[in-house]
Amino acid sequence: MTLRRDLTLAMLRIALIDDKSYGLDLIRSLHTNEECSIDYFSSFREFQSNGGKYDIAYLDYYLDHDGITGDAILPEVKMQAEKIIGFSSVPGCNRRMVELGADGAVDKS
């Protein structure tokens, strides 16, 4: 994954959009060597209303609190995040998000 060249690790802002918080530990483990802040959002509405800008957004596929799927909101998330990473335990869901424009995927199982 390539981020902006002027980005220092101390400034890395990460969002996790997932209706279940257990993925936070995995996200933290993926970024143990980096200085970063991780904001957790249990719904897309919460993420959207926050209005923050992020370098990376990890996006779950099934967002039960919103009644939507991650692939349906990729364009909206892209407005707030430079990179979007699909974050599902279902490989087919991660593939779908990458096909529709996510920059990568992580299996959260």
Side-chain angles (χ1 to χ4, degrees), residues 12-70:
L12 192 61
R13 294 198 63 210
I14 299 170
L16 170 59
I17 309 163
D18 192 340
D19 55 327
K20 296 168 189 73
S21 64
Y22 68 84
L24 269 172
D25 290 336
L26 176 57
I27 299 302
R28 286 185 185 116
S29 73
L30 293 172
H31 296 280
T32 56
N33 294 326
E34 301 167 350
E35 298 267 341
C36 60
S37 65
I38 302 172
D39 294 340
Y40 168 68
F41 302 96
S42 63
S43 72
F44 172 63
R45 287 186 299 264
E46 184 183 358
F47 170 78
Q48 198 172 34
S49 68
N50 169 275
K53 297 292 185 188
Y54 293 90
D55 301 299
I56 303 170
Y58 289 89
L59 178 60
D60 186 22
Y61 189 84
Y62 293 109
L63 297 169
D64 297 335
H65 295 174
D66 295 300
I68 57 176
T69 55

Side-chain angles (χ1 to χ4, degrees), residues 26 86-91 94 105-109:
L26 176 57
F87 191 64
S88 177
S89 56
V90 180
N94 278 335
V106 172
D107 184 338
K108 71 176 178 179
S109 55

